[in-house]
């Protein structure tokens, strides 16, 4: 009789179908999470509502650091082009937030115009007022790097109370707003000025829930000697350990990120390797953007659920008529007890609860009479989203990633080390001799031949057992020696001739010098007698 209602119930329980991950996240947020946020005034306490642009914009990189640590120069180094509004100098030059984004023509969009543009993900920044908007702009320019990512340049952080007061807006709160929406946060430090000011310490603490996005760059490292650099690196790790309270060590990239000659070139190889690692991290952002947005939505949903329980608990404890103000003060003072009660009743992890001091401060300004009681239907909808719809989107994320294997950041500094002789590691390790006409192993072959003929070869070849006796003298693990054997046994006959034995020793030498072994034997390392068509 009521078969239509059963069908409707089944339809609700089935996960929704989406064309793309971004579109799926937008629909889930709008239809399932946003009603919960609005009912319990989530946006007054934590974060403004998300908009369409938040789901469809390019990955963003946020640069944060004290003045003259090279933030603007770092952007100039990446895109290899000046951008509108750019000022570089040893004094505090950048006094604004500058969103460096792709555009068909070069130009600047001021903050007040920027926050009314529905295509940009900055509309909710209007809540920080004119003092901030007058110090916010978007620099647009046609640049291949900016086709894949956007970069947010920030004012240099200064020490002292005067600078903090004179800003006219909550600097740490603005950075926290950006931190929630960006894909990568890069903290820059100057190897010469390692002191962390009070305001910088506050900023880093404001990024507390986004440690997974944080990377640290120790810039201008070419200006100090190796021994001093080691001391500076240790001091930086110690300082960060006191501020960022996580068991994991933050990833620190050491280098000199500009296009000038190195002042002290002793650590050139280290700087090149570190720059390559940082570039790979930034280049992976477009491919991982959907997963980051999914992860951020899950974090937001968990916080919204906890927030609903807190507001519902406060509403339940409030009297209907008399003594409302006294009861409000009592509840705020005993908020930690409400946290503990919710934690036990709903089996929620303590790490999911909002900062209690910040919550108490905001609650003081709120009218508890407008709070809503707990509505199980809204919470069930979010639970259903987390259990069913998010799982379906996770599958789509993997599918999209597999189709985007070639989608990396291109252009600018990323092109300079991609190919050619100045690519990272070119002509080193297994790449040594890549451009030589002679077989690179040949120069050491006489030495290897002397060892080869002491192993009693039969018909010009030695067995695996004989080769093993010599190869284990390198003290390399069997897993590594096994890989070297496979690479050296070019003709796959289970034996080594004099050229293959020389090749095996060459590969051992490569590994002992700290280089990685190739997955497949490069053509220039193939012994001359084994090369086809020659």
């Amino acid at each position: 009789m009521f078969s239509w209602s059963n069908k409707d119930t089944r339809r609700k329980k089935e996960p929704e179908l989406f064309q793309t991950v971004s579109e799926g996240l937008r629909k889930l947020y709008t239809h399932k999470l946003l009603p919960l946020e609005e009912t319990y005034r989530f946006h007054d306490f934590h974060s403004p509502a998300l908009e369409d642009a938040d789901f469809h914009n390019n990955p963003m990189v946020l640069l944060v650091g004290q003045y003259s640590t090279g933030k603007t120069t770092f952007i100039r180094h990446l895109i290899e082009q000046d951008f509108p509004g750019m000022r570089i100098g040893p004094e505090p030059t950048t006094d604004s937030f500058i969103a460096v984004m792709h555009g068909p023509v070069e130009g600047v969009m001021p903050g007040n115009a920027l926050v009314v543009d529905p295509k940009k993900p900055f509309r909710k920044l209007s809540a920080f007022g004119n003092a901030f908007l007058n110090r916010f702009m978007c620099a647009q320019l046609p640049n291949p790097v900016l086709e894949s990512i956007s970069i947010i340049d920030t004012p240099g952080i200064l020490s002292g109370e005067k600078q903090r007061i004179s800003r006219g807006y909550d600097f740490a709160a603005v950075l926290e707003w950006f931190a929630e929406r960006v894909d990568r946060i890069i903290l820059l430090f100057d190897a010469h000025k390692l002191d962390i000011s009070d305001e910088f310490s506050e900023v880093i603490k404001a990024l507390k829930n986004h440690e997974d996005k944080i990377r640290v760059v120790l810039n201008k490292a070419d200006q100090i000697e190796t021994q001093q650099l080691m001391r500076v690196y240790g001091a930086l790790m110690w300082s960060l350990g006191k501020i960022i309270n996580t068991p994991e060590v933050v990833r620190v990239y050491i280098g000199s990120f500009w296009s000038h000659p190195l002042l002290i070139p002793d650590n050139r190889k280290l700087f090149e390797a570190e720059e390559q690692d940082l570039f790979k991290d930034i280049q992976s952002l477009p491919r991982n953007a959907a997963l980051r947005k999914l992860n951020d939505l899950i974090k937001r949903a968990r916080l919204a659920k906890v927030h609903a329980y807190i507001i519902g608990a406060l509403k339940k404890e409030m009297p209907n008529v008399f003594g409302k103000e006294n009861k409000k003060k009592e509840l705020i003072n005993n908020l930690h007890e409400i946290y503990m009660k919710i934690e036990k009743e709903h089996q929620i992890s303590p790490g999911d609860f909002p900062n209690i001091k910040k919550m108490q401060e905001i609650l003081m300004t709120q009218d508890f009479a407008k709070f809503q009681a707990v509505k199980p239907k809204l919470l069930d909808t979010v639970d259903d989203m987390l259990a069913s719809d998010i799982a379906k989107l996770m599958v789509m994320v993997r599918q999209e990633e597999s189709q985007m294997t070639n989608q990396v950041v291109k252009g600018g500094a990323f092109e300079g080390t991609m190919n050619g002789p100045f690519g990272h590691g070119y002509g080193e390790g297994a790449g040594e001799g890549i451009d030589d006409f002679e077989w690179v192993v040949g120069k050491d072959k006489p030495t290897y031949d002397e060892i080869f003929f002491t192993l009693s070869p039969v018909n010009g070849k030695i067995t695996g057992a004989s080769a093993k006796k010599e190869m284990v003298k390198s003290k390399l693990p069997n897993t590594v020696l096994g890989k070297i054997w496979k690479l050296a046994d070019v003709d796959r006959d289970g034996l080594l001739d004099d050229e293959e034995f020389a090749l095996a020793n060459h590969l051992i030498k490569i590994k002992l010098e700290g280089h990685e072994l190739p997955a497949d034997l490069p053509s220039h390392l193939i012994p001359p007698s084994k090369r086809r068509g020659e």
Side-chain angles (χ1 to χ4, degrees):
M1 180 178 170
F2 297 108
S3 59
W4 58 271
S5 63
N6 292 334
K7 283 180 184 175
D8 191 52
T9 304
R10 282 200 300 273
R11 195 181 298 120
K12 281 183 181 177
K13 288 184 179 178
E14 288 175 6
E16 294 190 35
L17 297 174
F18 308 114
Q19 295 297 318
T20 65
V21 175
S22 295
E23 183 60 23
L25 289 171
R26 187 190 67 78
K27 285 184 176 178
L28 287 180
Y29 175 73
T30 306
H31 298 138
K32 297 194 174 184
L33 183 55
L34 185 59
L36 182 75
E37 291 184 355
E38 290 176 337
T39 301
Y40 297 102
R41 309 168 74 90
F42 179 87
H43 309 136
D44 294 342
F45 288 81
H46 304 290
S47 175
L50 299 177
E51 298 200 327
D52 289 359
D54 290 309
F55 297 100
H56 299 294
N57 65 304
N58 278 345
M60 293 192 288
V61 178
L62 177 68
L63 300 183
V64 183
Q66 298 183 172
Y67 76 92
S68 194
T69 51
K71 295 185 298 297
T72 307
T73 306
F74 182 83
I75 299 174
R76 173 70 181 78
H77 179 63
L78 286 186
I79 66 176
E80 293 186 343
Q81 184 179 345
D82 290 348
F83 57 88
M86 183 183 93
R87 288 174 60 212
I88 295 172
E91 75 283 2
T93 48
T94 304
D95 64 347
S96 303
F97 282 81
I98 304 176
V100 186
M101 307 179 82
H102 186 267
V105 293
E106 193 170 308
V108 170
M109 185 182 290
N112 283 290
L114 200 53
V115 295
V116 295
D117 186 348
K119 293 181 181 178
K120 297 283 192 297
F122 306 121
R123 282 162 56 108
K124 297 297 180 181
L125 282 169
S126 58
F128 292 102
N130 274 329
F132 166 71
L133 295 179
N134 291 335
R135 290 280 179 268
F136 180 44
M137 68 175 77
C138 176
Q140 291 184 308
L141 64 157
N143 184 283
V145 173
L146 301 175
E147 289 177 11
S148 305
I149 60 170
S150 301
I151 307 171
I152 312 296
D153 194 9
T154 61
I157 297 169
L158 304 163
S159 57
E161 189 68 24
K162 181 186 172 188
Q163 286 80 12
R164 198 178 321 181
I165 294 168
S166 65
R167 288 195 193 276
Y169 60 90
D170 192 336
F171 183 70
V174 172
L175 284 177
E176 191 174 358
W177 186 94
F178 276 108
E180 287 180 8
R181 288 156 177 79
V182 301
D183 297 72
R184 186 67 72 238
I185 302 166
I186 297 179
L187 302 179
L188 282 100
F189 291 87
D190 185 336
H192 283 283
K193 300 197 304 273
L194 211 53
D195 60 306
I196 299 177
S197 68
D198 292 342
E199 189 176 23
F200 198 11
S201 180
E202 276 183 28
V203 164
I204 296 173
K205 286 174 182 174
L207 308 176
K208 183 177 180 291
N209 296 321
H210 309 284
E211 289 93 348
D212 56 318
K213 299 178 182 180
I214 294 176
R215 303 290 184 270
V216 176
V217 169
L218 182 58
N219 202 10
K220 306 183 183 181
D222 65 318
Q223 299 177 17
I224 53 178
E225 302 282 352
T226 304
Q227 186 180 13
Q228 195 179 353
L229 178 60
M230 293 298 292
R231 290 173 180 163
V232 168
Y233 177 80
L236 175 61
M237 297 302 290
W238 182 81
S239 299
L240 289 173
K242 290 174 65 180
I243 301 170
I244 304 175
N245 296 316
T246 57
E248 299 86 11
V249 177
V250 181
R251 178 64 167 98
V252 177
Y253 299 92
I254 304 170
S256 184
F257 295 91
W258 64 349
S259 55
H260 293 251
L262 298 175
L263 292 179
I264 302 174
D266 299 3
N267 298 305
R268 184 187 186 99
K269 283 192 176 181
L270 170 66
F271 298 160
E272 287 174 356
E274 293 284 280
E275 183 177 68
Q276 198 70 17
D277 286 350
L278 179 58
F279 282 5
K280 282 180 182 176
D281 185 66
I282 295 173
Q283 284 182 300
S284 70
L285 294 180
R287 196 167 59 247
N288 299 327
L291 186 59
R292 193 275 303 170
K293 288 171 184 172
L294 181 67
N295 184 54
D296 283 356
L297 188 71
I298 294 169
K299 282 200 291 188
R300 190 180 179 101
R302 290 168 70 94
L303 179 60
K305 274 183 61 184
V306 173
H307 178 77
Y309 285 129
I310 295 169
I311 298 300
L314 292 171
K315 176 68 175 178
K316 187 178 178 182
E317 296 292 330
M318 285 296 287
N320 291 326
V321 185
F322 300 110
K324 289 186 178 182
E325 198 60 34
N326 289 334
K327 188 64 176 176
K328 174 181 173 180
K329 290 177 182 177
E330 181 189 328
L331 288 171
I332 291 172
N333 290 333
N334 298 326
L335 189 61
H336 64 283
E337 293 179 7
I338 293 172
Y339 274 27
M340 289 175 67
K341 185 179 177 183
I342 294 170
E343 184 185 329
K344 289 177 182 177
E345 188 177 337
H346 299 284
Q347 302 297 308
I348 296 172
S349 167
D352 286 350
F353 284 82
N355 181 281
I356 194 163
K357 287 184 179 178
K358 184 180 174 185
M359 196 73 178
Q360 286 171 324
E361 286 175 11
I362 300 172
L363 283 170
M364 291 294 289
T365 64
Q366 295 290 318
D367 182 0
F368 281 29
K370 293 181 180 178
F371 286 175
Q372 299 284 330
V374 171
K375 297 182 179 179
K377 190 177 178 182
L378 286 173
L379 290 161
D380 289 344
T381 301
V382 174
D383 283 335
D384 178 61
M385 177 190 84
L386 292 170
S388 304
D389 298 307
I390 293 295
K392 193 172 184 66
L393 280 179
M394 277 298 297
V395 176
M396 288 184 66
V397 165
R398 298 305 175 198
Q399 290 173 348
E400 283 192 6
E401 282 181 353
S402 65
Q403 294 166 7
M404 295 166 61
T405 50
N406 295 323
Q407 186 169 345
V408 294
V409 182
K410 296 178 180 177
F414 298 100
E415 295 292 327
T417 57
M418 290 281 280
N419 300 303
F422 295 99
H424 179 62
Y426 189 93
E428 300 172 6
E432 183 186 354
I434 191 170
D435 295 326
D436 296 351
F437 291 107
E438 298 293 328
W439 188 39
V440 68
V441 184
K443 60 185 179 185
D444 295 319
K445 190 170 180 296
T447 306
Y448 301 141
D449 282 349
E450 289 181 15
I451 302 169
F452 178 78
F453 288 111
T454 64
L455 299 174
S456 306
V458 177
N459 296 325
K461 296 192 175 188
I462 59 171
T463 63
S466 298
K468 181 180 178 180
K469 289 177 184 176
E470 185 61 35
M471 291 171 70
V472 294
K473 292 178 182 178
S474 66
K475 299 180 181 179
L476 288 170
N478 284 345
T479 51
V480 176
L481 293 175
K483 184 175 182 180
I484 289 172
W485 170 270
K486 285 181 181 178
L487 291 169
D489 186 14
V490 179
D491 55 14
R492 302 288 184 269
D493 63 352
L495 303 168
L496 298 184
D497 61 20
D498 59 323
E499 287 183 331
E500 290 173 324
F501 180 74
L503 174 60
N505 279 279
H506 181 73
L507 292 170
I508 287 172
K509 177 186 161 193
I510 286 171
K511 189 63 184 174
L512 291 175
E513 288 175 350
H515 301 286
E516 290 300 317
L517 293 171
D520 300 299
L521 192 67
S523 58
H524 70 278
L525 287 183
I526 297 174
S529 64
K530 306 290 190 296
R531 296 177 186 178
R532 295 175 184 175
E534 289 188 17

